[in-house]
Amino acid sequence: MTTTASPSALTMMEALAAMATGRLTALGLAEAQLARVAATDAAIAAWETLDPAHVRAEAARCDDAPPGGLLPGIGVGVKDIVATRDLPTTMGSPIHAGQRPAADAACVARLRAAGGYVFGKTVTTPFAFMDPGKTRNPWDPAHSPGGSSSGSAAAVAAGHVCAAIGTQTNGSVIRPAAYCGVVGFKPTVDVIPTTGVHPFSARFDTVGTFARSVADAGRLASVLADPDTIAPDIAPLAQPPRLAYLAQFPWTQHERAASAVIDAAVARLGGRASVTPVAIDAPWREANRVLRTIMLYEGARALAELQERERARLTPALNAALDEGRTIDAAAYADAMAARERALGYFTRWADGFDAVLSPSAPGVAPHGLATTGDPSCCTLWSLVGFPAVNLPAGMLGTLPVGLQLAAPQGRDDRLLSVAAWCERELPFAGLA
């Protein structure tokens, strides 16, 4: 762990407060962050495109602008499948090297309208699938940072930026947040527009946020989201929450040591909150197959033209997934979509008696090496039904963080963030990687 008085160690809300009182400028914050990048990124490789001159110019522009907006002077990392008009958007692939979109993605336009700016483009796995990119885990570079939002999670964990934008189709926000020891927030599906984000699955693709506090992740999500869907400030709970604890998912193998860290965190929460153990009923113990059918069917069609033109330059794993998706016929897809609707109704009722459902964010800590981005299966259920979810760092296992996931039914983002902020206070996790 690194402790420092540098502005790069501030949370986003702390930085905003310091700038509001004149104790810090946007350029001062940017200079501290650029220094942090220079000192640490050689070992991490969180950035696909980062131009210090661009960062300084944007920060100086913010300092000269009239005050206003919810994120004045904040530079945000943006996953490199999200279109930015002033920086390339490469999709993590040489196929799109140097590509510069004509317009910002909708979420980036909202970031700018709130007074923020694009600090740089963070590494994504190729086309946001499961093949690893170049990024390493800031806590231990011998381990994966997760994916597909690898660079966004790593950049926040390392103090390069206060916050970053990522995306999740199955587990691409919550899992890297868990592996990198930061807060990750995946809002209710479709609350943040995906216009200008490279598609994979129209049903599941979701824009999310990374930060070092729940308040920061919620503020950035509020700026990116449709009006009146996510509040910019988190309301405190009037009393301790009612929590369900789903200790394991039936479609994956959970690592015992990581599970013990989660159990200890949940026990700590249970000292003040109501915690009820729950399990997934037999009819839904293969719900992961429903998500896979929908995701691969939609992915094969969204990327069909790309695969036909560029098969030789796509990764073997992505080609195999798209080939599998093409074997799924319209009838099987329709059946899976109907099953998803049933799952949405069932799990909404199942979770109704609780303020949030706790579960592991991943089956274990970040895998050793860069051959894999890890197992997303602890995120699958909440992605399937479009529930908002939050990762909180729950503790450490050796040199690596362990993540606790909170989820709630669609549309309950504000309540979920309030619960997550309450849990965050009970489970303090300080410092940068």
Side-chain angles (χ1 to χ4, degrees), residues 94 205 208 235 249 341 383 428:
D205 291 347
F249 292 90
E341 287 301 311
S383 292

Side-chain angles (χ1 to χ4, degrees), residues 210-299:
F210 296 88
R212 292 196 300 277
S213 75
V214 175
D216 289 5
R219 170 65 66 92
L220 178 55
S222 174
V223 162
L224 308 181
D226 290 337
D228 303 319
T229 54
I230 300 174
D233 297 299
I234 295 174
L237 294 181
Q239 57 188 20
R242 300 159 300 159
L243 303 170
Y245 180 32
L246 178 62
Q248 59 184 355
F249 292 90
W251 45 76
T252 194
Q253 294 293 316
H254 294 257
E255 296 175 12
R256 183 175 300 176
S259 295
V261 175
I262 296 292
D263 287 343
V266 172
R268 182 167 180 172
L269 296 176
R272 292 193 59 209
S274 166
V275 178
T276 303
V278 296
I280 294 176
D281 290 339
W284 296 106
R285 289 180 185 164
E286 294 189 346
N288 58 316
R289 296 179 181 272
V290 179
L291 178 134
R292 184 176 180 84
T293 297
I294 296 169
M295 181 179 72
L296 294 188
Y297 177 93
E298 293 183 344

Side-chain angles (χ1 to χ4, degrees), residues 144-201:
S144 171
S148 59
S149 304
S150 314
S152 290
V156 171
H160 298 174
V161 284
C162 298
I165 295 172
T167 65
Q168 177 160 313
T169 302
N170 185 357
S172 295
V173 169
I174 299 300
R175 174 177 38 134
Y179 288 168
C180 291
V182 297
V183 175
F185 175 39
K186 180 195 80 73
T188 294
V189 67
D190 297 331
V191 161
I192 300 176
T194 56
T195 306
V197 178
H198 194 278
F200 194 93
S201 169

Side-chain angles (χ1 to χ4, degrees), residues 126 129-132 200 292 296 307 311 314-325 371:
F129 197 62
M130 295 182 68
D131 304 276
F200 194 93
R292 184 176 180 84
L296 294 188
Q307 188 185 36
R311 174 181 280 272
L314 298 182
T315 65
L318 180 55
N319 273 321
L322 300 180
D323 290 345
E324 180 181 341

Side-chain angles (χ1 to χ4, degrees), residues 23 25 43 65 136 148 150 168 179 193 217 261 266 350 359 407 413 432:
R23 293 178 288 115
T25 64
R136 296 175 177 270
S148 59
S150 314
Q168 177 160 313
Y179 288 168
V261 175
V266 172
W350 182 77
S359 63
D413 300 68
L432 303 174

